Amino acid sequence: MAGGNEVNLNESKRVVPLNTWVLISNFKLAYNLLRRPDGTFNRDLAEYLDRKVPPNTIPVDGVFSFDHVDRATGLLNRVFQAAPQNEVQWGIVELEKPLSTTEVVPVIIFFHGGSFTHSSANSAIYDTFCRRLVNICKAVVVSVNYRRSPEYRYPCAYDDGWAALKWVKSRTWLQSGKDSKVYVYLAGDSSGGNIAHHVAVRAAEAEVEILGNILLHPMFGGEKRTESETRLDGKYFVTIQDRNWYWRAFLPEGEDRDHPACNPFGPRGKSLEGLKFPKSLICVAGLDLIQDWQLAYVEGLRKAGQDVKLLFLKEATIGFYFLPNNDHFYCLMEEIKNFVNPSC
Amino acid sequence: MVLYDSATSGGSNSGSSSSCSGTKQPVAEIDGLLAGAGYKVRSSELRQVAQRLERLETVMVNSPADISQLASDTVHYNPSDLASWVDSLLSEFNQPPLPLPSDLPDLPDIIAGPSVNHTAVGNYLTDNFTTTQQQQQQQQQMMIVTAMEEDSGIRLVHMLMTCAESVQRGEMAVAGSLIEDMKGLLTRVNPSCGIGKVAGCFIDALSFRIMGVGGSICGSVSENEILYHHFYEACPYLKFAHFTANQAILEAFDGHDCVHVVDFNLMHGLQWPALIQALALRPGGPPLLRLTGIGPPSPDGRDSLREIGLRLAELARSVNIRFTFRGVAASRLEDVKPWMLQVSPKEALAVNSILQLHKLLGSDPARNSPMEMVLGWIRNLNPKIMTVVEQESNHNQPEFLDRFTTALYYYSTMFDSLEACPLQPEKALAEIYLQREICNVVCCEGSARVERHEPLAKWRNRLAGAGFRPLHLGSNAFRQASMLLTLFSAEGYSVEETEGCLTLGWHSRPLIAASAWHAVPDVMMSHQNSN
């Protein structure tokens, strides 16, 4: 690893709260143990180490959750909802009536991060995050347990995202509002953000309505080395080397990082000009080494005439939103809330 | 200004509190935000844990070996306890693995963990697996709702709850007419869909309860053995229980020449051939093995316990293990007295309880608690290990409706997992096995209700209070369990590690939990009780 390690470690410790530093460093080191140089992955140890939580139909902090498994594919979605006002209804999952016949209740389809390789919908960090989203946005959140690399490469995660979208759109009990339809937003962090983008493109091409995309430091990349990658390599939990590993694990074998999955507006990408693409809220962390790719993505959306808002959090590192112990977290949540508010 | 933060979060362990300022923080306080992420770290230790993480990173960077190889050879324990996990890795990286003696049979590398109690004796099961052996807030109710696309399925569930509520209120006429309606609705539900079959069981159970005939559902001893055996074959829950317990027992017996296993429910002795074979192959040679099998007396004069003991003895002889068997016939676990087990102080003792302890929970308040009594004498025998496997659900709640609802979701998930089983008649008989359990949970009361399942969180408290400390099950046991599951064609089973215990479940819902324990020495007991 280039540079003095002590310098690197001290820098990241200065910019995040201590418990966040412990959490993300723990992930970083554990993940280092799981990735093998030959491109394979120690999935058993990964599942053993991952902290998972079961769903709960009795609400906790105003949110309950339950899992749905598609019999044909085994794809699991975890649904998070606000607890019913009437305690008598607690413990019973209402699958016959719509969410509301008068108000619009947004449904956020969430794709968890993990560089296409790590974590699950029932990982504790993501379960917790989705619960917070429910309360903040007064929305229903559906977290998709998409298939991960290297066992399942491109396009499996995107296909699972598309399947989840179709499932959500066809649930009568996710409908709301006076015109009884399902109001869908797509959201994701890191690789989840990448998935959200590609699912949104497919949806736009198929004329399936998505009201908005929320991408939290989405995972994009490309063959060339950008300035931010060089400047920030190894400084804030992430290295170029690990990014390379994850792309090699996700992209079809033999492909490089200019594949459009990784670099949607790059030399092999296509413009979204003229496409009815949803409005986007893109959050970029100023200490994320791939920010130049994320900013290029924002630029690509703008050039195609799409509605995009950039939330650039200069002092934020990756994973700042896992624990609600910093300003960036609250700033982000406020932005998401406003973005999803149907009256906007 | 909206308050976003909640220090505790749904689904994760309760008992943590906020790390926000303004509240007094005693030394033992766990960081609430990390708890929400599944990690238990004391707030006061955060700085030290951070330092150890830094050191670990430096060590890893400077480590000449392939660290991912080292990681997979190491046995990891209890990842929730971040501090100890980081420390165990630090020890691993500072010591290279022991070289393997050249005359050893094909066993994976043996690594002596410097700071943990056990040595990893390799994945014995997968090496010895022969072709003959196929095959989350204490009030929180953890439930899974599997796909219920059909409207009639959903309606059935609602009607079942309403019926159960009427039963709880004593409105039997209402309950009875609901049962008739449900039976009609059942004909319109696809019976091969999970909810159809399980709904049928619950409808029958409710109707038996109303008619007051719950007690007659109990089968004969030999019937129960047959059903158990088919449940064992049809799905992986019991296999998981057996070899997870066996792995832990094998590790606990390491270095002992005289070992004694007490099995609280021998059945056909399905668990023991694998342990016998593993002990035969262990480096350093096999111990003298005693097995005491407890089981109900056979009504027809046969001594079925002895027959099974003879078969196991033959197997032991064939692999050159000195083996003795003793059968203890008792219809209830609380009737077993420790002197019947003839435990010698010189031997290493393992007590093995697969789905038995919960039966002790149906106590008559006038008598002493059978649970306390039994746990007391187990502890006094000072076992090297006690392996406990229990259903991961609360079917012992005082309110009937709560019990009913929890059981409905639990057994729906169970039945759903059984759908994947291609073997007949194993699958059909496994369903009857579960049906009997459901009947007991729903129809019976008092001492007749023996299926008083409680979740891991409650067992942890109970066993800790009775003077036991956990022996953590590690990543090697986890890996074996995962490998076993891939041998099954059905995808959807999942193993999870939770604070040193392993659970096996269907998709994301744990259904059975395995844990291991040993007795706290007396000197420490008195300190513990003063906490």
Side-chain angles (χ1 to χ4, degrees):
Chain A
M1 196 189 271
N5 279 319
E6 293 81 44
V7 174
N8 292 342
L9 298 171
N10 286 338
E11 269 190 67
S12 60
K13 243 176 158 183
R14 266 204 290 269
V15 296
V16 295
L18 191 56
N19 47 8
T20 301
W21 190 90
V22 164
L23 182 70
I24 303 184
S25 299
N26 162 62
F27 289 151
K28 179 179 81 173
L29 296 184
Y31 294 177
N32 287 349
L33 298 177
L34 300 171
R35 295 188 304 270
R36 298 201 193 98
D38 64 356
T40 59
F41 184 71
N42 192 339
R43 181 60 67 189
D44 278 335
L45 186 56
E47 291 303 296
Y48 176 80
L49 294 176
D50 189 27
R51 308 289 82 208
K52 297 194 201 289
V53 291
N56 63 312
T57 49
I58 299 297
V60 173
D61 292 337
V63 180
F64 74 94
S65 65
F66 62 94
D67 289 343
H68 172 275
V69 179
D70 183 311
R71 274 178 212 291
T73 60
L75 184 67
L76 185 144
N77 293 327
R78 177 164 288 185
V79 180
F80 299 83
Q81 279 181 249
Q85 301 286 31
N86 190 352
E87 270 196 43
V88 164
Q89 295 174 311
W90 287 11
I92 303 173
V93 177
E94 181 55 73
L95 296 181
E96 287 186 283
K97 304 204 289 274
L99 297 169
S100 166
T101 47
T102 49
E103 284 163 18
V104 167
V105 181
V107 178
I108 303 175
I109 302 180
F110 179 75
F111 301 99
H112 67 81
S115 309
F116 295 104
T117 302
H118 298 281
S119 297
S120 309
N122 59 342
S123 294
I125 45 168
Y126 286 112
D127 182 277
T128 301
F129 181 76
C130 289
R131 282 167 192 282
R132 295 200 174 108
L133 269 184
V134 169
N135 278 333
I136 289 159
C137 301
K138 310 278 179 267
V140 169
V141 176
V142 178
S143 186
V144 181
N145 205 37
Y146 57 88
R147 283 168 295 167
R148 300 162 300 185
S149 53
E151 298 93 332
Y152 298 99
R153 293 171 178 270
Y154 164 94
C156 295
Y158 301 158
D159 290 343
D160 290 348
W162 176 249
L165 173 61
K166 291 216 304 257
W167 181 81
V168 163
K169 280 278 186 180
S170 60
R171 298 303 103 185
T172 51
W173 50 272
L174 286 177
Q175 290 170 350
S176 62
K178 294 198 186 67
D179 43 354
S180 292
K181 66 176 204 189
V182 186
Y183 291 82
V184 173
Y185 291 79
L186 300 182
D189 68 315
S190 173
S191 53
N194 176 296
I195 297 171
H197 163 79
H198 287 287
V199 172
V201 172
R202 190 166 169 183
E205 288 167 348
E207 291 178 3
V208 173
E209 187 189 24
I210 308 277
L211 295 166
N213 271 8
I214 302 161
L215 273 48
L216 309 185
H217 55 63
M219 187 169 159
F220 294 118
E223 272 305 299
K224 77 168 197 244
R225 262 307 140 241
T226 60
E227 184 270 340
S228 64
E229 283 166 306
T230 316
R231 173 170 50 95
L232 295 170
D233 185 16
K235 294 227 166 75
Y236 298 99
F237 310 112
V238 184
T239 64
I240 293 175
Q241 196 187 30
D242 70 62
R243 294 299 97 198
N244 289 348
W245 190 98
Y246 291 116
W247 282 120
R248 254 201 313 273
F250 173 70
L251 295 169
E253 299 198 40
E255 279 286 359
D256 69 20
R257 288 186 302 276
D258 281 333
H259 187 284
C262 174
N263 196 356
F265 299 139
R268 292 159 59 187
K270 68 170 185 237
S271 163
L272 299 186
E273 194 162 338
L275 194 64
K276 191 160 176 290
F277 194 73
K279 64 173 182 174
S280 297
L281 171 65
I282 316 294
C283 176
V284 176
L287 300 176
D288 184 350
L289 85 174
I290 60 168
Q291 62 190 267
D292 283 350
W293 293 110
Q294 295 157 349
L295 295 169
Y297 173 75
V298 169
E299 205 37 47
L301 285 178
R302 283 201 179 121
K303 280 216 285 268
Q306 302 297 347
D307 178 353
V308 54
K309 172 162 189 185
L310 168 63
L311 176 65
F312 186 85
L313 299 171
K314 191 152 167 267
E315 292 285 304
T317 65
I318 52 116
F320 69 86
Y321 46 84
F322 284 141
L323 304 184
N325 56 5
N326 58 86
D327 287 337
H328 311 303
F329 173 90
Y330 294 103
C331 181
L332 171 68
M333 289 307 164
E334 192 67 25
E335 289 289 338
I336 296 180
K337 184 172 83 147
N338 295 334
F339 189 75
V340 158
N341 187 328
S343 63
C344 274
Chain B
M1 171 66 165
V2 181
L3 287 172
Y4 298 134
D5 179 32
S6 53
T8 58
S9 56
S12 59
N13 290 309
S14 56
S16 55
S17 55
S18 173
S19 59
C20 289
S21 59
T23 51
K24 189 165 79 106
Q25 290 196 30
V27 169
E29 194 95 331
I30 303 278
D31 183 291
L33 296 183
L34 287 180
Y39 296 99
K40 296 212 158 135
V41 183
R42 282 196 262 270
S43 304
S44 54
E45 285 185 352
L46 264 180
R47 211 158 290 283
Q48 289 127 286
V49 172
Q51 278 167 2
R52 283 147 159 168
L53 279 166
E54 284 176 317
R55 222 173 50 194
L56 180 59
E57 173 159 17
T58 310
V59 165
M60 278 167 60
V61 164
N62 294 329
S63 172
D66 171 10
I67 56 175
S68 57
Q69 185 55 47
L70 212 52
S72 36
D73 291 342
T74 306
V75 182
H76 302 251
Y77 292 95
N78 197 9
S80 283
D81 183 352
L82 246 189
S84 68
W85 182 73
V86 175
D87 281 347
S88 69
L89 279 180
L90 275 170
S91 327
E92 267 327 299
F93 280 94
N94 286 332
Q95 291 184 23
L98 298 177
L100 200 62
S102 55
D103 57 359
L104 229 61
D106 311 345
L107 280 177
D109 290 345
I110 296 160
I111 297 176
S115 59
V116 295
N117 294 330
H118 342 282
T119 52
V121 288
N123 296 326
Y124 83 95
L125 181 79
T126 47
D127 285 346
N128 297 337
F129 209 82
T130 59
T131 50
T132 55
Q133 299 187 54
Q134 268 115 15
Q135 351 130 25
Q136 323 74 216
Q137 305 168 349
Q138 289 79 351
Q139 274 73 40
Q140 289 169 14
Q141 297 185 44
M142 314 299 182
M143 301 187 212
I144 183 172
V145 174
T146 53
M148 298 202 302
E149 294 91 3
E150 302 179 24
D151 287 339
S152 20
I154 298 163
R155 235 174 287 144
L156 254 183
V157 171
H158 286 181
M159 286 177 77
L160 275 166
M161 310 280 239
T162 314
C163 184
E165 205 182 347
S166 318
V167 166
Q168 175 165 287
R169 286 215 262 246
E171 295 164 10
M172 295 312 184
V174 174
S177 87
L178 276 167
I179 292 200
E180 292 312 310
D181 293 341
M182 286 193 287
K183 285 187 172 164
L185 197 52
L186 245 191
T187 60
R188 301 211 299 276
V189 174
N190 183 355
S192 71
C193 162
I195 195 67
K197 251 183 218 161
V198 78
C201 293
F202 277 86
I203 293 169
D204 286 342
L206 278 172
S207 104
F208 290 143
R209 185 182 176 102
I210 293 171
M211 292 193 284
V213 296
S216 66
I217 306 305
C218 270
S220 73
V221 165
S222 52
E223 265 179 31
N224 287 341
E225 283 180 7
I226 292 170
L227 292 177
Y228 185 89
H229 200 139
H230 284 86
F231 181 67
Y232 174 90
E233 294 293 346
C235 45
Y237 303 106
L238 290 178
K239 296 188 189 71
F240 162 80
H242 290 176
F243 66 74
T244 304
N246 283 349
Q247 175 73 33
I249 293 172
L250 192 64
E251 290 178 15
F253 280 170
D254 190 49
H256 293 276
D257 293 322
C258 294
V259 303
H260 183 180
V261 176
V262 171
D263 186 1
F264 276 2
N265 187 25
L266 187 67
M267 281 290 180
H268 292 161
L270 296 169
Q271 181 170 353
W272 307 117
L275 183 68
I276 291 172
Q277 287 171 332
L279 286 171
L281 284 177
R282 80 172 187 180
L288 164 67
L289 170 65
R290 286 181 58 205
L291 174 66
T292 301
I294 298 171
S298 333
D300 51 3
R302 276 170 58 229
D303 190 346
S304 56
L305 287 174
R306 189 164 170 275
E307 281 171 25
I308 294 163
L310 282 172
R311 283 212 295 271
L312 290 172
E314 259 178 58
L315 171 63
R317 203 171 15 248
S318 76
V319 292
N320 290 322
I321 287 201
R322 292 164 298 152
F323 174 85
T324 55
F325 173 85
R326 184 183 174 81
V328 172
S331 25
R332 298 176 314 171
L333 193 51
E334 61 223 66
D335 295 335
V336 174
K337 301 292 171 243
W339 58 261
M340 299 173 187
L341 308 176
Q342 299 196 334
V343 175
S344 149
K346 289 197 222 100
E347 58 195 11
L349 174 68
V351 173
N352 183 72
S353 166
I354 310 287
L355 310 180
Q356 297 307 301
L357 281 187
H358 60 258
K359 299 183 180 170
L360 297 170
L361 287 171
S363 61
D364 175 358
R367 294 166 46 220
N368 283 331
S369 154
M371 176 69 72
E372 266 178 43
M373 178 189 69
V374 171
L375 288 182
W377 64 247
I378 296 175
R379 199 186 155 268
N380 288 340
L381 290 175
N382 196 24
K384 271 274 160 307
I385 188 169
M386 175 172 67
T387 46
V388 175
V389 179
E390 286 285 327
Q391 290 90 339
E392 182 59 8
S393 191
N394 197 343
H395 300 154
N396 197 23
Q397 295 161 81
E399 295 284 301
F400 174 73
L401 181 58
D402 294 334
R403 224 159 59 225
F404 184 88
T405 311
T406 312
L408 180 60
Y409 283 120
Y410 178 84
Y411 287 104
S412 294
T413 311
M414 265 275 175
F415 268 77
D416 210 38
S417 76
L418 261 185
E419 278 312 306
C421 169
L423 307 168
Q424 289 290 17
E426 282 83 351
K427 176 170 155 184
L429 290 173
E431 286 170 0
I432 297 177
Y433 171 86
L434 291 175
Q435 200 177 10
R436 299 240 171 129
E437 253 182 43
I438 292 170
C439 260
N440 192 274
V441 174
V442 173
C443 311
C444 298
E445 290 299 341
S447 54
R449 179 155 61 90
V450 294
E451 300 300 341
R452 293 178 180 261
H453 314 145
E454 290 195 343
L456 195 47
K458 280 188 168 264
W459 287 109
R460 284 205 183 102
N461 287 343
R462 181 172 292 120
L463 291 171
F468 291 92
R469 245 209 258 125
L471 276 173
H472 293 140
L473 303 172
S475 54
N476 51 346
F478 182 93
R479 194 187 343 166
Q480 281 193 83
S482 303
M483 280 203 242
L484 172 95
L485 293 178
T486 60
L487 289 168
F488 268 77
S489 48
E491 279 200 22
Y493 289 104
S494 59
V495 189
E496 280 176 25
E497 190 281 347
T498 160
E499 291 188 76
C501 306
L502 295 188
T503 61
L504 173 64
W506 179 244
H507 291 291
S508 58
R509 167 60 152 108
L511 293 173
I512 193 168
S515 58
W517 306 82
H518 62 164
V520 172
D522 276 314
V523 149
M524 294 172 76
M525 245 318 251
S526 49
H527 291 291
Q528 194 165 305
N529 282 337
S530 61
N531 280 354

